[in-house]
């Protein structure tokens, strides 16, 4: 039997939270359609990446590639930018690179489907963005050593099979370096209920001016939740709508309901987010002792997002007050 090939799955990072048809749950659905229950991780080292919650919650095992720390490349890039800004030709090169980045960002802001990401126009835009950046700033500090980093990833991935998750703009270069690799061929794939539910929660967490909070709340109340987006998260998202409107009793009701329904393990970020916001609401309602105990519960968690830990630590020092004027 021939060895399985390596499929490369595009990751959009935090932008997964903004795409209704290509979000964290969509990636879980894609893996299910491929018959895969694990994925090689060659993407962001950020511990708060949305897929680090969604994929394990969906029963997908993350296999970490031993990628080196490339944080130093950001510092080298900033030094180069500072140098180029001193000269007219340097500033012109920076403008060309910024224009390429802005054009790629424009594509990412558009509503995307899996077909767009899996080899469509967006994939072409990613390739053009990387080529234009290298042409403007040269490969090296100007690209944060992109080619060298891809060489290292390709070396680690050369003998792998299954599915590997990598940033979208890395995939054109990785396909060149991994002759046996390919993008998934799923022409008939359509995002399902998990994607729809994830999109609903993401929208409630990240309200826009044009959103109708009443319609969002009604939609959240109708749903039962699933493994990737459990009922507790829908309750917490509903609480966010009340909190944004300054309705503290309403926010407390939904947050306390969410806290009592928290899943035991996944999504792992949810407990910290729920309890940190619940502590703030209790503080704003004058329930200081309860608020302090809630903040302490956040800091006692094995994992909590940085924003939750920072809110809890700040709340222990100074009682939280709701300010709706900003």
């Amino acid at each position: 039997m021939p060895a399985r090939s390596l499929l490369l799955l595009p990751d959009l990072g935090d932008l997964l939270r903004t795409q209704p048809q290509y979000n964290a749950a969509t990636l879980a659905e894609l893996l299910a359609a491929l018959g895969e229950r694990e994925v090689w991780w060659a993407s962001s080292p950020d511990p708060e990446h949305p897929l680090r919650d969604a994929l394990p919650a969906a029963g997908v095992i993350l296999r970490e590639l031993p990628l080196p720390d490339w944080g130093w490349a950001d510092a080298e890039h900033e030094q180069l930018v500072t140098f180029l800004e001193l000269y007219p030709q340097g500033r012109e090169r920076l403008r060309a690179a910024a224009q390429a980045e802005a054009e790629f960002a424009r594509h990412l802001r558009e509503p995307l489907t899996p077909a767009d990401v899996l080899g469509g126009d967006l994939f072409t835009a990613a390739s053009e963005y990387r080529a234009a950046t290298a042409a403007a700033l040269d490969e090296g500090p100007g690209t944060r050593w992109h080619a060298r980093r891809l060489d290292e990833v390709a070396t680690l991935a050369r003998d792998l099979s299954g599915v590997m998750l990598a940033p979208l703009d890395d995939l054109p270069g990785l396909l060149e370096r991994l002759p046996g690799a390919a993008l998934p061929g799923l022409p008939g794939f359509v995002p399902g209920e998990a994607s729809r539910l994830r999109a609903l929660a993401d929208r409630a967490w990240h309200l826009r001016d044009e959103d109708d909070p009443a319609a969002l709340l009604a939609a959240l109340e109708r749903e039962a939740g699933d493994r990737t987006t459990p009922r507790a998260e829908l309750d917490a998202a509903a609480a966010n709508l009340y909190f944004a409107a300054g309705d503290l009793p309403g926010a407390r009701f939904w947050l306390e309901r969410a806290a009592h329904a928290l899943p035991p393990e996944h999504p792992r970020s949810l407990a910290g987010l729920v309890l940190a916001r619940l502590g703030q609401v209790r503080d704003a309602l004058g329930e200081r002792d309860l608020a302090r105990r809630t903040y302490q519960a956040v800091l006692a968690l094995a994992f909590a997002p940085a924003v939750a830990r920072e809110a809890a630590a700040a709340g222990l020092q100074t009682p939280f007050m709701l300010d709706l004027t900003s």
Side-chain angles (χ1 to χ4, degrees):
M1 180 180 295
R4 291 194 304 161
S5 61
L6 181 66
L7 297 177
L8 303 182
L9 203 55
D11 176 27
L12 301 184
D14 280 339
L15 290 176
L16 291 170
R17 306 183 200 274
T18 69
Q19 290 293 338
Q21 295 189 75
Y22 197 84
N23 54 46
T26 311
L27 271 294
E29 290 178 324
L30 279 166
L31 287 166
L34 292 168
E36 298 287 345
R37 302 308 301 167
E38 61 181 53
V39 62
W40 295 100
W41 187 278
S43 196
S44 166
D46 181 5
E48 299 176 23
H49 190 295
L51 290 176
R52 292 191 181 272
D53 273 354
L55 294 185
V60 177
I61 299 171
L62 303 183
R63 302 291 189 191
E64 302 277 350
L65 284 184
L67 301 173
D69 181 4
W70 280 86
W72 57 268
D74 291 332
E76 284 201 359
H77 178 79
E78 292 305 316
Q79 290 175 355
L80 176 67
V81 169
T82 299
F83 174 77
L84 291 177
E85 286 175 341
L86 298 174
Y87 305 98
Q89 289 184 331
R91 291 192 291 272
E92 183 60 34
R93 294 172 67 182
L94 290 173
R95 279 193 291 271
Q99 183 176 353
E101 184 173 4
E103 178 62 18
F104 184 44
R106 182 184 65 79
H107 285 276
L108 292 172
R109 287 193 297 269
E110 296 173 354
L112 302 173
T113 67
D116 295 324
V117 183
L118 297 173
D121 291 344
L122 182 61
F123 193 83
T124 301
S127 181
E128 292 174 347
Y129 158 62
R130 282 300 183 182
T133 302
L137 301 179
D138 298 329
E139 176 56 40
T143 63
R144 296 177 173 84
W145 297 96
H146 187 243
R148 180 175 153 190
R149 180 170 58 78
L150 292 188
D151 288 342
E152 294 193 7
V153 175
T155 298
L156 292 170
R158 187 161 292 131
D159 298 323
L160 299 181
S161 62
V163 177
M164 185 173 79
L165 185 79
L168 169 67
D169 51 318
D170 282 358
L171 262 56
L174 286 175
L175 287 171
E176 293 174 358
R177 290 164 171 80
L178 295 167
L183 296 172
L186 292 170
F189 175 82
V190 176
E193 281 298 297
S195 289
R196 183 189 64 80
L197 193 60
R198 182 67 257 163
L200 174 62
D202 284 338
R203 193 60 177 261
W205 280 119
H206 306 96
L207 282 172
R208 304 174 187 173
D209 291 340
E210 66 269 23
D211 286 335
D212 182 347
L216 277 174
L217 181 61
L220 291 167
E221 290 177 333
R222 286 194 298 267
E223 302 295 341
D226 62 14
R227 295 175 67 184
T228 307
T229 312
R231 180 64 244 180
E233 182 170 2
L234 299 176
D235 290 342
N240 190 56
L241 302 177
Y242 282 92
F243 187 85
D247 183 343
L248 293 173
R252 178 177 58 185
F253 169 82
W254 287 99
L255 286 167
E256 289 180 345
R257 178 168 147 165
H260 284 103
L262 284 170
E265 185 178 4
H266 296 294
R268 60 178 189 151
S269 296
L270 186 57
L273 294 172
V274 168
L275 294 175
R277 181 50 57 85
L278 180 56
Q280 291 178 328
V281 168
R282 286 171 168 171
D283 241 350
L285 287 169
E287 302 169 351
R288 180 60 178 162
D289 288 342
L290 268 177
R292 286 179 59 85
R293 289 200 292 272
T294 310
Y295 296 140
Q296 289 165 349
V298 174
L299 299 178
L301 292 171
F303 176 82
V307 65
R309 299 188 70 85
E310 291 166 3
L316 285 173
Q317 292 295 320
T318 306
F320 175 80
M321 297 181 64
L322 182 63
D323 181 5
L324 295 177
T325 61
S326 58

